[in-house]
């Protein structure tokens, strides 16, 4: 079975990719002590995902998958975008505190935006880099709207204020598998799975 490394320490992401890429041996970065922690310095999701996948493919010698994602808000001209994780500037804070600060700042910024103009999209770029070989990419997108008060305890990040189109619940009120089925990350990983199945991984 071909081994593929996912450039992430997040066990949730590793499990999700394992569910989608059934025929492959998916391992996370926890299995590679000393793997580089790559700064996300590019201005696009795909650019950041490529930075991570290239570094991890070079470090491990294995085909590497990486993703980068964020929330693009219409009324903010597509921001926070690639800055989603760091929107409130709280770089050192624990993930939960940072998520809460990011979400509150975003809600304040769009407080005066009318209900019909509160559209947004979660976007995810997923890439595969084969060491010394090919690079492939796929994108996923989930459109929806921002509500005014957080609802739900599932998910992470901006989930409590995002209601996907055609839904009444926030993504924080959905079961993980329900969110996977419609999410930007699910869509990008599923598209990449088709590419990986057809790719030369050697
Ligand atoms: P990444 O880890 O660099 O891809 O940054 C992703 C950031 O975008 C997270 O910290 C969240 O703020 C936001 N984000 C991406 N995907 C989601 C999602 O599915 N739900 C909520 N927030 C998300």
């Amino acid at each position: 079975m071909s081994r593929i490394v996912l450039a992430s320490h997040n066990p949730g992401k590793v499990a999700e990719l394992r569910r989608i890429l059934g025929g492959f041996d998916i391992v996370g970065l926890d299995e590679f002590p000393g793997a580089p922690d790559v700064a996300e310095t590019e201005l696009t999701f795909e650019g950041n995902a490529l930075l991570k996948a290239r570094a991890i493919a070079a470090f491990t010698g294995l085909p590497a998958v990486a993703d980068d994602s964020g929330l693009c808000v219409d009324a903010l001209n597509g921001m926070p975008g690639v800055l989603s994780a760091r929107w409130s500037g709280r770089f050192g804070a624990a993930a939960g505190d940072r998520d809460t600060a990011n979400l509150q700042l975003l809600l304040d910024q769009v407080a005066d935006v009318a209900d019909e103009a509160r559209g947004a999209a979660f976007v995810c770029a997923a890439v595969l880099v084969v060491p010394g070989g090919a690079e492939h990419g796929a994108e996923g997108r989930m459109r929806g709207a921002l509500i005014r008060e957080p609802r739900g305890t599932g998910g992470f990040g901006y989930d409590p204020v995002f209601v996907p189109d055609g839904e009444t619940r926030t993504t924080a009120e959905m079961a993980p598998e329900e969110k996977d089925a419609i999410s930007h990350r699910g869509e990008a990983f599923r598209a990449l799975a088709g590419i990986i199945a057809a790719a030369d991984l050697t």
Side-chain angles (χ1 to χ4, degrees):
M1 201 192 278
S2 298
R3 228 169 181 229
I4 296 176
V5 57
L6 178 64
S8 170
H9 288 283
N10 180 336
K13 271 192 197 175
V14 177
E16 183 179 357
L17 192 60
R18 265 190 199 130
R19 287 196 294 275
I20 293 172
L21 270 179
F24 293 86
D25 176 18
I26 307 293
V27 289
L29 279 189
D30 283 353
E31 310 215 6
F32 297 93
D37 190 12
V38 182
E40 299 179 355
T41 52
E42 291 288 326
L43 300 179
T44 63
F45 297 114
E46 188 182 33
N48 281 330
L50 278 170
L51 282 184
K52 290 187 271 188
R54 283 179 190 144
I56 297 306
F59 182 79
T60 62
L62 292 172
V65 168
D67 76 315
D68 192 44
S69 58
L71 180 66
C72 300
V73 175
D74 298 350
L76 298 177
N77 289 326
M79 300 233 257
V82 292
L83 300 176
S84 291
R86 295 164 280 166
W87 193 230
S88 61
R90 301 196 57 193
F91 298 101
D97 294 347
R98 213 180 45 201
D99 280 2
T100 307
N102 288 340
L103 182 153
Q104 196 52 55
L105 176 61
L106 185 76
L107 280 186
D108 291 347
Q109 287 166 328
V110 297
D112 290 338
V113 177
D115 287 352
E116 60 276 16
R118 294 175 68 91
F122 276 121
V123 180
C124 175
V127 303
L128 166 75
V129 171
V130 180
E135 299 183 342
H136 304 273
E139 191 181 272
R141 189 172 284 268
M142 170 169 58
R143 273 215 59 93
L146 298 176
I147 57 170
R148 293 177 187 277
E149 293 289 338
R151 275 189 352 228
T153 53
F156 67 102
Y158 301 94
D159 279 329
V161 292
F162 184 85
V163 175
D165 284 350
E167 266 289 338
T168 54
R169 294 170 301 169
T170 68
T171 39
E173 295 175 303
M174 296 181 172
E177 315 78 56
E178 270 183 295
K179 183 183 160 191
D180 285 358
I182 58 167
S183 82
H184 50 313
R185 199 167 5 266
E187 185 178 80
F189 275 173
R190 284 189 294 274
L192 194 66
I195 293 169
I196 291 172
D200 177 4
L201 298 179
T202 54

